[in-house]
Amino acid sequence: MGIAYPQDTLFVNRHLFQSPVQNVFEARETVFAKTTLALYQLDGDDWIPIEQDFSKPYVFYKGNFFESDFIPDSELFDISSIKELVPQRGQFIATSARIGSRFFIATGSDLFEYEIRDHYTRAYHNMSIRDIYMEDSLKVILTYSGIFVNDSIKLNYPKYSNGPLVKINSSYYLPWDEISLFIPPDSTLLIPNATNLFSGKARKIISWKGELYSLHTQAFSKVLPEFELQPIHQGLEYLDLEVFGEDLVFATSQGVCLKWDGAKVDTLAQIPSIINDIYQVGNRLIFSSDDGVYEINSDNLEPLQLTNTPNAVMTSLDDFNNLWIATENGLYVLIPDYKDPILIIPNVEFNREALLLNGEMLYVGAVDGLYQLNTYEIEKSYLPNLLNTLQVPISERKSTWLIGGALAVLGFLAGFILFRKKKKEELTEVRNGNKNEWNLEELEKRILSEKIQTVEGLASALDTNTVQLNRNFKKLGTTPGKFLKQIKLKQAKEMLREGKDLEEVAKSIGYSTKLIKTELNLD
């Protein structure tokens, strides 16, 4: 019986043959596919026919090839474990084969290929993760769908989160548009004066020189007794707040980073695009922006662009001095002594304020769940093993391995992506008569008519995968997640205009009533 893999498994391709596929199997360190007319061997990315005649429908291998009129139980694969990834209706008898990260399933006369990403795991599937908080006996995962404590408790209120949980002295502050005190494990208390009309929505609380400061969407404020807010700076859209040296620094959507020394506000630095996140490490200040990642330090305040990774939302530095970069298009790592970032998790939309390094484990929140990576295993096993598959000699990390390894990884990833793109485009041309340009208006009609709720559902409806889906949406200047959200909120607005009840609207589009109120600025 074939096994199901606990890691992320993604649909990559449907392989086409001249006749229906009967079964697939592993042999001689590669994969073979039996069709009604021939037996094929996988050679790189090509299927090579084997010059040997077989009279029975199925072929397997045990020391030598042998024929069969049926599929033995030992060769069957239980397709129910990943049935949502199989782009056909109904359940059929299936066989499977795996080589490296490539996984093949033969079912219903078709052969499908998947990519198994076993260098990370994913939890909280299909939840949009907003923050991760961990200490010795407390783990809090904050999402748009609820706030979960120690993987077993879901808070009754608030229903979602929009900012990072922070512990100051012995108190836990929870921003979620407003601000609540969190009393572990399952109690919260709303702070009445923590938001007001001038401040906008709460995003962050920080302690500096024995006093509390808050960041809201419309104001940076000092927190007075009874939690009243005294505005220090207003008039911009504010996105992050951190301590840097002797100052507080806060970022804006205009690309300006301002500093507060306790007496006045000055401009610290400016970059060409919105600053989504500030990360302080030593005397360095790292900005995540839509144009990539920038850095300043206390000795040189002129911004230096570290990467041009688009739509960067957050960064973190691990014990190996690797800089992890979460973006709306994937997770990257920038290793020392090499200028280009390496793509570790492609085509995933990660969130702001949702990146936490806890010991060796890196937790990264995305719109579709919580991704977990062991930085030690990535450093010591994943990258070297990837290089081994290319038969590239590995030497010491700090010299030849670092440069040659990074180049090899980039070359492998680039070649892999280009190959998948070419294959998928060829398949699209065959099916759609060369029509591989998508129209947002047509996609919107289809999403509404078929009541598509998720990125995975949209990919399935378009007979593609999330990788190719993201690539096509990039050409249209957006992401699938953003486009779905835009359509859902437009649909909600129309339903409310028609007099529908808010609870009915929320149930129809799959969002909470609080989120709809927030996004549509409802009273």
Side-chain angles (χ1 to χ4, degrees):
M1 181 70 70
I3 63 171
Y5 296 97
Q7 311 92 337
D8 262 14
T9 304
L10 288 87
F11 175 71
V12 171
N13 198 9
R14 177 189 174 198
H15 291 267
L16 302 178
F17 296 86
Q18 293 180 347
S19 58
V21 176
Q22 298 292 103
N23 68 288
V24 64
F25 59 94
E26 303 163 25
R28 299 174 177 175
E29 299 183 351
T30 187
V31 172
F32 289 82
K34 173 64 170 63
T35 74
T36 54
L37 297 180
L39 177 67
Y40 293 87
Q41 175 182 338
L42 181 66
D43 183 9
D45 297 320
D46 299 317
W47 292 99
I48 309 300
I50 301 297
E51 295 183 359
Q52 185 174 342
D53 292 331
F54 297 96
S55 59
K56 296 183 179 180
Y58 304 104
V59 171
F60 301 96
Y61 188 87
K62 287 185 179 178
N64 289 296
F65 295 115
F66 69 92
E67 301 178 80
S68 177
D69 290 316
F70 63 92
I71 301 176
D73 289 345
S74 61
E75 300 294 332
L76 288 173
F77 175 75
D78 183 4
I79 202 172
S80 63
S81 60
I82 59 170
K83 61 182 179 181
E84 69 279 1
L85 295 177
V86 179
Q88 63 178 351
R89 296 182 178 179
Q91 297 291 308
F92 299 93
I93 294 173
T95 55
S96 67
R98 179 178 180 180
I99 179 168
S101 62
R102 302 177 71 179
F103 184 53
F104 299 85
I105 295 178
T107 181
S109 300
D110 287 313
L111 181 64
F112 303 108
E113 180 179 352
Y114 302 82
E115 178 189 355
I116 294 179
R117 298 177 177 172
D118 52 9
H119 55 288
Y120 65 83
T121 59
R122 183 161 62 105
Y124 293 88
H125 290 254
N126 300 321
M127 293 187 184
S128 186
I129 311 298
R130 300 300 298 138
D131 181 50
I132 307 108
Y133 181 90
M134 291 188 183
E135 57 182 62
D136 289 344
S137 59
L138 181 65
K139 172 185 176 184
V140 186
I141 307 299
L142 303 99
T143 82
Y144 267 137
S145 305
I147 299 172
F148 301 87
V149 182
N150 293 339
D151 295 323
S152 58
I153 300 170
K154 183 178 181 180
L155 298 186
N156 292 324
Y157 195 81
K159 299 295 185 182
Y160 66 95
S161 170
N162 248 331
L165 176 68
V166 61
K167 183 179 183 181
I168 300 175
N169 297 324
S170 58
S171 297
Y172 296 87
Y173 294 96
L174 174 56
W176 54 277
D177 290 346
E178 300 186 54
I179 300 177
S180 292
L181 281 173
F182 168 56
I183 302 96
D186 57 6
S187 300
T188 59
L189 179 65
L190 181 67
I191 302 175
N193 297 327
T195 58
N196 54 46
L197 290 177
F198 77 77
S199 65
K201 300 169 184 176
R203 288 295 180 261
K204 199 167 190 177
I205 299 292
I206 201 167
S207 176
W208 182 64
K209 296 185 177 179
E211 296 182 297
L212 294 184
Y213 290 82
S214 72
L215 190 77
H216 290 63
T217 53
Q218 300 173 21
F220 163 56
S221 307
K222 183 177 181 179
V223 179
L224 301 178
E226 305 300 323
F227 230 95
E228 294 182 1
L229 303 179
Q230 175 184 307
I232 294 172
H233 199 275
Q234 294 176 261
L236 300 174
E237 181 185 0
Y238 305 94
L239 294 170
D240 198 15
L241 172 67
E242 293 290 347
V243 176
F244 182 52
E246 294 297 315
D247 301 320
L248 278 179
V249 294
F250 50 104
T252 73
S253 62
Q254 289 74 22
V256 179
C257 180
L258 301 167
K259 68 174 182 177
W260 163 253
D261 62 6
K264 64 182 184 303
V265 173
D266 287 321
T267 298
L268 178 66
Q270 183 165 7
I271 64 173
S273 70
I274 179 174
I275 299 176
N276 295 306
D277 176 75
I278 305 173
Y279 177 62
Q280 183 269 330
V281 52
N283 70 337
R284 303 161 63 197
L285 205 59
I286 299 174
F287 303 131
S288 299
S289 81
D290 284 358
D291 282 347
V293 178
Y294 291 79
E295 176 189 80
I296 64 172
N297 61 63
S298 55
D299 298 323
N300 183 7
L301 298 179
E302 184 66 28
L304 170 67
Q305 187 173 23
L306 298 179
T307 76
N308 61 356
T309 45
N311 302 311
V313 294
M314 204 168 183
T315 58
S316 184
L317 197 71
D318 68 18
D319 292 340
F320 301 99
N321 208 30
N322 299 320
L323 183 68
W324 292 88
I325 305 164
T327 80
E328 292 182 2
N329 305 293
L331 179 70
Y332 296 80
V333 62
L334 185 65
I335 60 179
D337 305 326
Y338 188 74
K339 65 177 182 177
D340 294 322
I342 299 171
L343 184 60
I344 299 297
I345 302 177
N347 300 297
V348 173
E349 185 177 341
F350 291 99
N351 288 325
R352 292 180 58 250
E353 295 293 352
L355 180 62
L356 173 70
L357 184 66
N358 185 36
E360 294 178 356
M361 296 302 299
L362 185 73
Y363 299 86
V364 199
V367 297
D368 64 347
L370 179 64
Y371 290 75
Q372 303 167 78
L373 304 91
N374 186 307
T375 58
Y376 181 86
E377 291 299 326
I378 293 288
E379 169 76 12
K380 300 300 182 183
S381 300
Y382 174 67
L383 291 178
N385 286 340
L386 185 57
L387 296 177
N388 275 334
T389 65
L390 301 175
Q391 297 182 342
V392 176
I394 302 174
S395 59
E396 292 300 318
R397 159 70 189 272
K398 290 300 179 181
S399 55
T400 307
W401 180 89
L402 180 61
I403 298 174
L407 285 170
V409 170
L410 290 172
F412 172 82
L413 291 174
F416 183 80
I417 292 170
L418 287 173
F419 166 73
R420 296 293 171 229
K421 181 178 180 181
K422 180 180 178 182
K423 284 291 185 182
K424 191 62 184 181
E425 286 175 350
E426 289 173 354
L427 183 58
T428 304
E429 289 175 1
V430 169
R431 292 176 177 172
N432 300 331
N434 293 327
K435 182 183 177 183
N436 50 22
E437 295 231 357
W438 293 355
N439 180 284
L440 290 179
E441 186 176 342
E442 292 176 1
L443 287 172
E444 180 176 352
K445 290 178 182 177
R446 185 160 185 181
I447 288 168
L448 292 173
S449 65
E450 299 181 19
K451 297 181 180 179
I452 296 170
Q453 295 283 351
T454 66
V455 172
E456 290 78 8
L458 180 58
S460 178
L462 296 172
D463 197 16
T464 185
N465 55 75
T466 55
V467 175
Q468 187 65 24
L469 190 70
N470 274 279
R471 289 179 188 148
N472 279 279
F473 268 89
K474 276 185 185 179
K475 298 174 185 176
L476 300 172
T478 185
T479 67
K482 287 182 178 179
F483 187 60
L484 277 172
K485 182 179 180 182
Q486 174 187 332
I487 293 173
K488 286 185 179 184
L489 293 176
K490 180 180 177 182
Q491 184 183 13
K493 188 181 293 185
E494 291 175 355
M495 292 176 70
L496 291 170
R497 191 181 296 118
E498 293 169 358
K500 299 286 179 64
D501 180 76
L502 183 60
E503 292 286 347
E504 180 184 352
V505 173
K507 186 179 296 184
S508 177
I509 71 169
Y511 281 167
S512 69
T513 56
K514 184 70 176 178
L515 180 59
I516 295 172
K517 287 181 178 180
T518 299
E519 294 292 340
L520 298 182
N521 295 317
L522 302 177
D523 295 330

